[in-house]
Every structure is written in structure tokens, then in C-alpha cells.
Coordinates of all heavy atoms in Angstrom, one line a residue:
A1 N 101.5 102.5 99.6 CA 101.6 101.2 100.3 C 102.2 101.5 101.7 O 102.8 102.5 102.0 CB 102.5 100.3 99.5
V2 N 102.0 100.5 102.6 CA 102.6 100.6 103.9 C 103.2 99.3 104.2 O 102.7 98.2 103.9 CB 101.4 100.9 105.0 CG1 102.0 100.8 106.4 CG2 100.8 102.2 104.7
N3 N 104.4 99.3 104.9 CA 105.1 98.1 105.3 C 105.4 98.3 106.8 O 106.1 99.2 107.2 CB 106.4 98.0 104.5 CG 107.1 96.6 104.8 OD1 107.2 96.2 106.0 ND2 107.7 96.0 103.8
N4 N 104.9 97.4 107.6 CA 105.1 97.5 109.1 C 104.8 98.9 109.6 O 105.5 99.4 110.5 CB 106.5 97.1 109.4 CG 106.7 95.6 109.2 OD1 106.0 94.8 109.9 ND2 107.5 95.2 108.3
G5 N 103.7 99.5 109.1 CA 103.3 100.8 109.6 C 104.0 102.0 109.0 O 103.7 103.2 109.4
L6 N 105.0 101.8 108.1 CA 105.7 102.9 107.5 C 105.3 103.0 106.0 O 105.3 102.0 105.3 CB 107.2 102.7 107.6 CG 107.8 102.6 109.0 CD1 109.2 102.2 109.0 CD2 107.6 104.0 109.6
P7 N 105.1 104.2 105.6 CA 104.6 104.4 104.2 C 105.8 104.3 103.2 O 106.9 104.7 103.5 CB 104.1 105.9 104.1 CG 104.9 106.6 105.2 CD 105.1 105.5 106.3
I8 N 105.5 103.7 102.1 CA 106.5 103.5 101.0 C 105.8 103.7 99.7 O 104.8 103.1 99.5 CB 107.3 102.2 101.1 CG1 108.4 102.1 100.0 CG2 106.4 101.0 101.1 CD1 109.3 100.9 100.1
N9 N 106.4 104.5 98.8 CA 105.8 104.7 97.4 C 106.9 104.7 96.4 O 108.0 105.2 96.7 CB 105.1 106.0 97.4 CG 103.8 105.9 98.1 OD1 102.8 105.5 97.6 ND2 103.8 106.4 99.4
G10 N 106.7 104.0 95.3 CA 107.7 104.0 94.3 C 107.2 103.5 93.0 O 106.0 103.4 92.8
G11 N 108.1 103.2 92.1 CA 107.8 102.6 90.8 C 108.9 102.0 90.2 O 110.0 101.9 90.7
S12 N 108.7 101.4 89.0 CA 109.7 100.8 88.2 C 109.5 100.9 86.7 O 108.3 101.1 86.3 CB 109.8 99.3 88.6 OG 108.6 98.6 88.2
I13 N 110.5 100.8 86.0 CA 110.5 100.7 84.6 C 111.5 99.6 84.2 O 112.7 99.8 84.5 CB 110.9 102.1 83.9 CG1 110.0 103.2 84.3 CG2 111.0 101.9 82.4 CD1 110.4 104.6 83.8
S14 N 111.0 98.6 83.6 CA 111.8 97.4 83.3 C 112.6 97.0 84.6 O 112.0 96.7 85.6 CB 112.8 97.7 82.2 OG 112.1 97.9 81.0
A15 N 113.9 97.0 84.6 CA 114.7 96.5 85.7 C 115.1 97.6 86.7 O 115.7 97.4 87.7 CB 115.9 95.8 85.2
M16 N 114.7 98.9 86.4 CA 115.0 100.0 87.2 C 113.9 100.3 88.2 O 112.7 100.3 87.8 CB 115.3 101.2 86.3 CG 115.8 102.4 87.1 SD 116.3 103.8 86.1 CE 114.7 104.2 85.3
F17 N 114.2 100.5 89.4 CA 113.2 100.8 90.4 C 113.7 101.9 91.4 O 114.9 102.2 91.5 CB 112.8 99.6 91.2 CG 113.9 99.1 92.1 CD1 114.0 99.5 93.5 CD2 114.9 98.2 91.7 CE1 115.0 99.0 94.3 CE2 115.9 97.7 92.5 CZ 116.0 98.1 93.8
G18 N 112.7 102.5 92.0 CA 113.0 103.5 93.0 C 111.9 103.7 94.0 O 110.8 103.3 93.7
F19 N 112.1 104.2 95.2 CA 111.1 104.4 96.1 C 111.4 105.5 97.1 O 112.6 105.9 97.3 CB 110.8 103.1 96.9 CG 111.9 102.6 97.7 CD1 112.1 102.9 99.0 CD2 112.9 101.7 97.2 CE1 113.1 102.5 99.8 CE2 114.0 101.3 97.9 CZ 114.1 101.6 99.2
F20 N 110.4 106.0 97.7 CA 110.5 107.1 98.7 C 109.7 106.6 99.9 O 108.6 105.9 99.8 CB 109.9 108.4 98.2 CG 110.7 109.0 97.1 CD1 110.4 108.7 95.8 CD2 111.8 109.8 97.4 CE1 111.2 109.3 94.8 CE2 112.6 110.3 96.4 CZ 112.2 110.1 95.0
L21 N 110.1 107.0 101.1 CA 109.3 106.7 102.3 C 108.4 107.9 102.6 O 108.8 108.9 103.3 CB 110.3 106.5 103.5 CG 111.3 105.3 103.2 CD1 112.3 105.2 104.3 CD2 110.6 104.0 102.9
C22 N 107.2 107.8 102.1 CA 106.2 108.9 102.3 C 104.8 108.4 101.9 O 104.7 107.4 101.2 CB 106.6 110.1 101.4 SG 106.5 109.8 99.6
D23 N 103.8 109.2 102.2 CA 102.5 108.9 101.8 C 102.3 109.5 100.4 O 102.9 110.6 100.1 CB 101.5 109.6 102.7 CG 101.4 108.9 104.0 OD1 101.4 107.6 104.1 OD2 101.3 109.6 105.1
G24 N 101.6 108.9 99.5 CA 101.2 109.4 98.2 C 102.3 109.3 97.2 O 103.5 109.1 97.6
P25 N 102.0 109.6 96.0 CA 103.1 109.5 95.0 C 104.0 110.7 95.0 O 103.7 111.8 95.5 CB 102.3 109.5 93.7 CG 101.0 110.2 94.0 CD 100.7 109.9 95.4
V26 N 105.2 110.5 94.5 CA 106.2 111.6 94.3 C 106.2 111.8 92.8 O 106.6 111.0 92.0 CB 107.6 111.1 94.9 CG1 108.6 112.2 94.6 CG2 107.5 110.9 96.4
R27 N 105.9 113.0 92.4 CA 105.7 113.4 91.0 C 106.8 114.4 90.5 O 106.9 114.6 89.3 CB 104.3 114.0 90.8 CG 103.2 113.0 91.0 CD 101.9 113.7 90.9 NE 101.7 114.6 92.0 CZ 101.0 114.4 93.1 NH1 100.2 113.4 93.2 NH2 100.9 115.3 94.0
N28 N 107.5 115.0 91.4 CA 108.5 116.0 91.0 C 109.6 116.1 92.1 O 109.5 115.5 93.1 CB 107.8 117.3 90.7 CG 107.0 117.8 91.9 OD1 107.6 117.9 93.0 ND2 105.8 118.2 91.6
F29 N 110.6 116.9 91.7 CA 111.7 117.1 92.6 C 111.3 117.7 94.0 O 111.8 117.3 95.0 CB 112.8 117.9 91.9 CG 114.1 118.0 92.7 CD1 114.8 116.9 93.1 CD2 114.5 119.3 93.1 CE1 116.0 117.0 93.8 CE2 115.7 119.4 93.9 CZ 116.4 118.3 94.2
E30 N 110.5 118.7 93.9 CA 110.0 119.3 95.2 C 109.4 118.3 96.1 O 109.7 118.3 97.3 CB 109.1 120.5 94.9 CG 109.8 121.7 94.3 CD 110.9 122.2 95.1 OE1 110.8 122.4 96.3 OE2 112.0 122.5 94.5
E31 N 108.5 117.5 95.6 CA 107.9 116.4 96.4 C 109.0 115.4 96.9 O 108.9 115.0 98.1 CB 106.8 115.7 95.7 CG 105.6 116.6 95.4 CD 104.5 115.9 94.6 OE1 104.7 114.8 94.1 OE2 103.5 116.6 94.4
A32 N 109.9 115.1 96.1 CA 111.0 114.2 96.4 C 111.8 114.7 97.6 O 112.2 114.0 98.5 CB 111.9 113.9 95.2
K33 N 112.1 116.0 97.5 CA 112.9 116.7 98.6 C 112.2 116.7 99.9 O 112.8 116.7 101.0 CB 113.3 118.1 98.2 CG 114.3 118.2 97.1 CD 114.8 119.6 96.9 CE 113.8 120.7 97.0 NZ 114.3 122.0 96.7
S34 N 110.9 116.6 99.9 CA 110.1 116.6 101.2 C 109.9 115.2 101.8 O 109.3 115.1 102.9 CB 108.7 117.3 101.0 OG 107.9 116.4 100.2
T35 N 110.5 114.2 101.2 CA 110.4 112.9 101.8 C 111.4 112.7 102.9 O 112.3 113.5 103.1 CB 110.5 111.8 100.7 OG1 111.9 111.9 100.2 CG2 109.5 111.9 99.6
N36 N 111.2 111.6 103.7 CA 112.0 111.4 104.9 C 113.3 110.7 104.6 O 113.5 109.5 104.6 CB 111.2 110.5 105.8 CG 111.7 110.4 107.2 OD1 112.9 110.7 107.4 ND2 110.8 110.2 108.2
S37 N 114.3 111.6 104.3 CA 115.7 111.1 104.0 C 116.4 110.5 105.2 O 117.2 109.5 105.0 CB 116.5 112.1 103.3 OG 116.7 113.2 104.2
E38 N 116.1 110.9 106.4 CA 116.7 110.4 107.6 C 116.2 108.9 107.8 O 117.0 108.0 108.1 CB 116.3 111.2 108.8 CG 116.9 110.7 110.1 CD 116.6 111.5 111.3 OE1 116.3 112.7 111.2 OE2 116.6 110.9 112.4
L39 N 114.9 108.7 107.6 CA 114.4 107.3 107.7 C 115.0 106.4 106.6 O 115.3 105.3 106.8 CB 112.9 107.4 107.6 CG 112.1 106.1 108.0 CD1 112.5 105.6 109.4 CD2 110.6 106.3 107.8
F40 N 115.1 107.0 105.4 CA 115.7 106.2 104.3 C 117.2 105.8 104.7 O 117.6 104.7 104.4 CB 115.8 107.0 103.0 CG 116.2 106.2 101.8 CD1 115.3 105.5 101.0 CD2 117.6 106.0 101.6 CE1 115.7 104.7 100.0 CE2 118.0 105.2 100.5 CZ 117.1 104.6 99.7
G41 N 117.9 106.7 105.3 CA 119.3 106.3 105.8 C 119.2 105.2 106.8 O 120.1 104.3 106.7
K42 N 118.3 105.2 107.7 CA 118.1 104.1 108.6 C 117.8 102.8 107.9 O 118.4 101.7 108.3 CB 117.1 104.4 109.7 CG 117.5 105.5 110.6 CD 116.3 105.8 111.6 CE 116.7 107.0 112.5 NZ 115.6 107.3 113.5
L43 N 116.9 102.9 107.0 CA 116.6 101.7 106.2 C 117.8 101.2 105.4 O 118.1 100.0 105.4 CB 115.4 102.0 105.2 CG 115.0 100.9 104.3 CD1 114.4 99.7 105.0 CD2 114.1 101.4 103.2
H44 N 118.5 102.1 104.8 CA 119.7 101.7 104.1 C 120.7 100.9 105.0 O 121.2 99.9 104.6 CB 120.4 103.0 103.5 CG 121.6 102.7 102.7 ND1 122.9 102.7 103.2 CD2 121.7 102.3 101.4 CE1 123.8 102.4 102.3 NE2 123.1 102.1 101.2
R45 N 120.9 101.4 106.2 CA 121.9 100.8 107.1 C 121.3 99.4 107.5 O 122.1 98.4 107.6 CB 122.1 101.6 108.4 CG 123.0 102.8 108.1 CD 123.4 103.6 109.3 NE 122.3 104.3 109.9 CZ 121.8 105.5 109.4 NH1 122.3 106.0 108.4 NH2 120.8 106.1 110.0
E46 N 120.0 99.3 107.8 CA 119.4 98.0 108.2 C 119.6 97.0 107.0 O 119.9 95.8 107.3 CB 118.0 98.2 108.6 CG 117.7 98.9 109.9 CD 118.3 98.1 111.1 OE1 118.3 96.8 111.1 OE2 118.6 98.7 112.1
M47 N 119.4 97.4 105.8 CA 119.5 96.5 104.7 C 121.0 96.1 104.5 O 121.2 94.9 104.3 CB 119.0 97.2 103.4 CG 117.5 97.4 103.4 SD 116.5 95.9 103.3 CE 116.7 95.5 101.6
L48 N 121.9 97.0 104.7 CA 123.3 96.6 104.7 C 123.6 95.6 105.7 O 124.4 94.6 105.4 CB 124.2 97.8 104.9 CG 124.4 98.8 103.7 CD1 125.2 100.0 104.1 CD2 125.1 98.1 102.5
N49 N 123.1 95.7 106.9 CA 123.3 94.8 108.0 C 122.8 93.4 107.6 O 123.2 92.4 108.2 CB 122.6 95.2 109.3 CG 123.3 96.4 109.9 OD1 124.4 96.7 109.6 ND2 122.5 97.1 110.7
R50 N 121.8 93.3 106.6 CA 121.3 92.1 106.2 C 121.8 91.6 104.8 O 121.3 90.7 104.2 CB 119.7 92.2 106.1 CG 119.1 92.3 107.5 CD 117.7 92.8 107.5 NE 117.1 92.8 108.8 CZ 117.4 93.7 109.8 NH1 118.2 94.7 109.5 NH2 116.8 93.6 110.9
G51 N 122.9 92.3 104.4 CA 123.6 91.9 103.2 C 123.1 92.4 101.9 O 123.4 91.9 100.8
I52 N 122.1 93.4 102.0 CA 121.5 93.9 100.8 C 122.0 95.4 100.6 O 121.9 96.2 101.5 CB 120.0 93.9 100.9 CG1 119.5 92.5 101.2 CG2 119.4 94.5 99.6 CD1 119.7 91.5 100.2
Y53 N 122.7 95.6 99.4 CA 123.2 97.0 99.2 C 122.2 97.7 98.3 O 121.9 97.3 97.2 CB 124.5 96.9 98.5 CG 125.0 98.3 98.2 CD1 125.6 99.1 99.2 CD2 124.9 98.9 97.0 CE1 126.1 100.3 99.0 CE2 125.3 100.2 96.7 CZ 125.9 100.9 97.8 OH 126.4 102.2 97.6
L54 N 121.6 98.8 98.8 CA 120.7 99.7 98.1 C 121.5 100.9 97.7 O 122.5 101.2 98.4 CB 119.5 100.1 98.9 CG 118.5 99.1 99.4 CD1 117.5 99.7 100.3 CD2 117.8 98.4 98.2
A55 N 121.1 101.7 96.8 CA 121.7 103.0 96.5 C 121.5 103.8 97.8 O 120.5 103.6 98.5 CB 120.9 103.7 95.4
P56 N 122.5 104.6 98.2 CA 122.5 105.2 99.5 C 121.5 106.4 99.6 O 121.5 107.0 100.7 CB 123.9 105.6 99.7 CG 124.5 105.7 98.4 CD 123.8 104.7 97.5
S57 N 120.8 106.7 98.6 CA 119.9 107.8 98.6 C 118.6 107.4 97.9 O 118.7 106.7 96.9 CB 120.5 109.0 98.0 OG 119.5 110.0 97.7
S58 N 117.5 107.9 98.3 CA 116.2 107.7 97.6 C 116.2 108.4 96.3 O 115.3 108.2 95.5 CB 115.0 108.0 98.5 OG 115.1 109.4 98.9
F59 N 117.1 109.3 96.0 CA 117.2 110.0 94.8 C 117.9 109.2 93.7 O 118.0 109.6 92.5 CB 117.9 111.4 94.9 CG 117.2 112.3 95.8 CD1 117.5 112.5 97.1 CD2 116.1 113.1 95.3 CE1 116.8 113.4 97.9 CE2 115.4 114.0 96.1 CZ 115.8 114.1 97.4
E60 N 118.4 108.0 94.0 CA 119.1 107.2 93.1 C 118.2 105.9 92.8 O 117.4 105.6 93.6 CB 120.4 106.7 93.7 CG 121.3 107.8 94.0 CD 122.6 107.4 94.7 OE1 123.3 106.6 94.0 OE2 122.9 107.8 95.8
A61 N 118.5 105.3 91.6 CA 117.7 104.2 91.2 C 118.4 102.9 91.6 O 119.6 102.8 91.8 CB 117.5 104.2 89.7
G62 N 117.6 101.8 91.8 CA 118.1 100.5 92.0 C 117.9 99.7 90.7 O 117.0 100.1 89.9
F63 N 118.6 98.6 90.5 CA 118.5 97.8 89.3 C 118.5 96.3 89.7 O 119.2 95.9 90.6 CB 119.6 98.1 88.4 CG 119.7 99.5 87.9 CD1 120.3 100.5 88.6 CD2 119.0 99.8 86.7 CE1 120.4 101.8 88.1 CE2 119.0 101.1 86.3 CZ 119.7 102.1 87.0
T64 N 117.6 95.6 89.0 CA 117.7 94.1 89.1 C 118.2 93.6 87.7 O 118.2 94.4 86.7 CB 116.3 93.5 89.4 OG1 115.4 93.9 88.3 CG2 115.8 94.0 90.7
S65 N 118.6 92.4 87.7 CA 119.1 91.8 86.5 C 118.8 90.3 86.5 O 118.4 89.7 87.5 CB 120.6 92.0 86.3 OG 121.3 91.1 87.1
L66 N 119.0 89.7 85.3 CA 118.8 88.2 85.2 C 119.8 87.5 86.1 O 119.6 86.3 86.3 CB 118.9 87.8 83.7 CG 117.8 88.3 82.8 CD1 118.1 87.9 81.4 CD2 116.4 87.8 83.3
A67 N 120.8 88.1 86.6 CA 121.8 87.5 87.5 C 121.2 87.3 88.9 O 121.7 86.5 89.6 CB 123.1 88.3 87.6
H68 N 120.1 88.0 89.2 CA 119.4 87.8 90.5 C 118.5 86.6 90.4 O 117.6 86.6 89.6 CB 118.6 89.1 90.8 CG 119.5 90.2 91.1 ND1 119.6 91.3 90.2 CD2 120.3 90.5 92.2 CE1 120.5 92.2 90.8 NE2 120.9 91.7 91.9
S69 N 118.7 85.6 91.3 CA 117.9 84.4 91.3 C 116.6 84.7 92.1 O 116.5 85.7 92.8 CB 118.7 83.3 91.9 OG 118.9 83.5 93.3
D70 N 115.7 83.8 92.0 CA 114.4 83.9 92.8 C 114.8 83.9 94.2 O 114.1 84.6 95.0 CB 113.5 82.8 92.4 CG 112.8 82.9 91.1 OD1 112.9 84.0 90.5 OD2 112.3 81.9 90.6
E71 N 115.7 83.1 94.6 CA 116.1 83.0 96.0 C 116.7 84.3 96.5 O 116.4 84.8 97.6 CB 117.2 81.9 96.2 CG 117.7 81.8 97.7 CD 118.7 80.7 97.8 OE1 118.8 79.7 97.0 OE2 119.5 80.8 98.8
E72 N 117.5 85.0 95.7 CA 118.0 86.3 96.1 C 116.9 87.4 96.2 O 116.9 88.2 97.1 CB 119.1 86.8 95.1 CG 120.4 85.9 95.2 CD 121.3 86.1 94.0 OE1 120.8 86.3 92.9 OE2 122.5 86.0 94.3
I73 N 116.0 87.3 95.3 CA 114.8 88.2 95.3 C 114.0 88.0 96.6 O 113.7 88.9 97.3 CB 113.9 88.1 94.1 CG1 114.7 88.4 92.8 CG2 112.7 88.9 94.2 CD1 115.2 89.8 92.7
D74 N 113.8 86.7 96.9 CA 113.1 86.4 98.2 C 113.8 86.9 99.4 O 113.2 87.4 100.4 CB 112.8 84.9 98.3 CG 111.8 84.4 97.3 OD1 111.0 85.3 96.7 OD2 111.7 83.2 97.0
Q75 N 115.2 86.7 99.4 CA 116.0 87.2 100.5 C 115.9 88.7 100.7 O 115.9 89.2 101.8 CB 117.4 86.8 100.3 CG 117.7 85.3 100.5 CD 119.1 84.9 100.1 OE1 119.8 85.6 99.4 NE2 119.5 83.7 100.4
T76 N 115.9 89.4 99.5 CA 115.8 90.9 99.5 C 114.4 91.3 100.1 O 114.4 92.2 100.9 CB 116.0 91.4 98.1 OG1 117.2 91.0 97.6 CG2 115.9 92.9 98.1
I77 N 113.4 90.6 99.7 CA 112.0 91.0 100.2 C 112.0 90.7 101.7 O 111.5 91.6 102.5 CB 110.9 90.2 99.5 CG1 110.8 90.6 98.0 CG2 109.6 90.3 100.2 CD1 110.0 89.7 97.1
E78 N 112.5 89.6 102.2 CA 112.6 89.4 103.6 C 113.4 90.4 104.4 O 113.1 90.8 105.5 CB 113.1 87.9 103.9 CG 113.2 87.6 105.3 CD 111.9 87.5 106.1 OE1 110.8 87.3 105.4 OE2 111.9 87.7 107.3
A79 N 114.5 90.8 103.8 CA 115.4 91.8 104.4 C 114.6 93.2 104.5 O 114.8 93.8 105.5 CB 116.7 92.0 103.6
F80 N 113.9 93.5 103.5 CA 113.0 94.7 103.6 C 112.1 94.6 104.7 O 111.9 95.5 105.5 CB 112.3 95.0 102.3 CG 112.9 95.9 101.3 CD1 113.5 95.4 100.1 CD2 113.0 97.2 101.6 CE1 114.1 96.3 99.2 CE2 113.6 98.1 100.7 CZ 114.2 97.6 99.5
D81 N 111.4 93.5 104.8 CA 110.4 93.3 105.9 C 111.1 93.4 107.3 O 110.6 94.2 108.1 CB 109.7 91.9 105.7 CG 108.5 91.8 106.7 OD1 107.7 92.7 106.7 OD2 108.5 90.7 107.4
Q82 N 112.2 92.8 107.5 CA 112.9 92.8 108.8 C 113.4 94.3 109.0 O 113.4 94.7 110.1 CB 114.1 91.9 108.8 CG 113.7 90.4 108.8 CD 114.9 89.5 108.6 OE1 116.0 89.9 108.5 NE2 114.6 88.2 108.6
S83 N 113.9 94.9 108.0 CA 114.5 96.3 108.1 C 113.4 97.3 108.5 O 113.6 98.1 109.3 CB 115.2 96.7 106.8 OG 116.3 95.9 106.6
F84 N 112.2 97.1 107.8 CA 111.1 98.0 108.2 C 110.7 97.8 109.6 O 110.4 98.8 110.3 CB 109.9 97.8 107.2 CG 110.0 98.7 106.0 CD1 110.5 98.3 104.9 CD2 109.5 100.0 106.1 CE1 110.6 99.1 103.7 CE2 109.5 100.9 105.0 CZ 110.1 100.4 103.8
K85 N 110.7 96.6 110.1 CA 110.3 96.3 111.5 C 111.3 97.0 112.4 O 111.0 97.5 113.5 CB 110.3 94.8 111.8 CG 109.1 94.1 111.2 CD 109.1 92.6 111.4 CE 107.9 92.0 110.8 NZ 108.1 90.5 110.8
A86 N 112.6 97.0 112.0 CA 113.7 97.5 112.9 C 113.6 99.0 113.0 O 114.0 99.6 114.0 CB 115.0 97.1 112.4
I87 N 113.1 99.7 112.0 CA 113.2 101.2 112.0 C 111.9 101.9 112.4 O 111.9 103.1 112.6 CB 113.6 101.8 110.6 CG1 112.6 101.5 109.5 CG2 115.0 101.3 110.3 CD1 112.9 102.1 108.2
K88 N 110.8 101.1 112.5 CA 109.5 101.7 112.8 C 109.5 102.2 114.3 O 110.2 101.9 115.1 CB 108.4 100.9 112.5 CG 108.1 99.7 113.4 CD 106.8 99.1 113.0 CE 106.3 98.2 114.1 NZ 105.1 97.6 113.8

């Protein structure tokens, strides 16, 4: 997938999710190490600036829960969109 011209790939299992900023799937640790960690750091900072706390590394998982409302999910999606625009 691509967001504002930047590649993003990830997956989820139930409420756990993760993603990498790269083309193509990440299937193992070697592929994970070759992803753009500097760009992930920039994305992390942009998301913090918008009130969204992500795990500080793409090697960590994120979690959603029933405590997250539809409004909060929508705000998070919008924060991702704005953050991708800011770092491209």
C-alpha cells in the first residue's frame, strides 16, 4: 500500500497490528531490518505531535481495544494521513 507517496506494509491479528515503511511484505527479521527505521522515527514524532502514541519502533506491535471509540479510530486515521504528508 502507499499513503501520500510513501510505501507502508503491515498486518494484524485480532487487536494486534504492526507495519513497516517499505515496498512489499516483510516476512522475516532480515527483511524487517532493511526497512526505513529513520522514516519510521519521523512518522512516530509526527503522530506524537497529533496526540497519537505509537510504539517507538516498527519492531514493536500496536494494540487496539474496545476502549477505542469510532471517533478515536477516525482521529488516528486522520493523524496518519497528516503525518504521512508531513514526512514525504
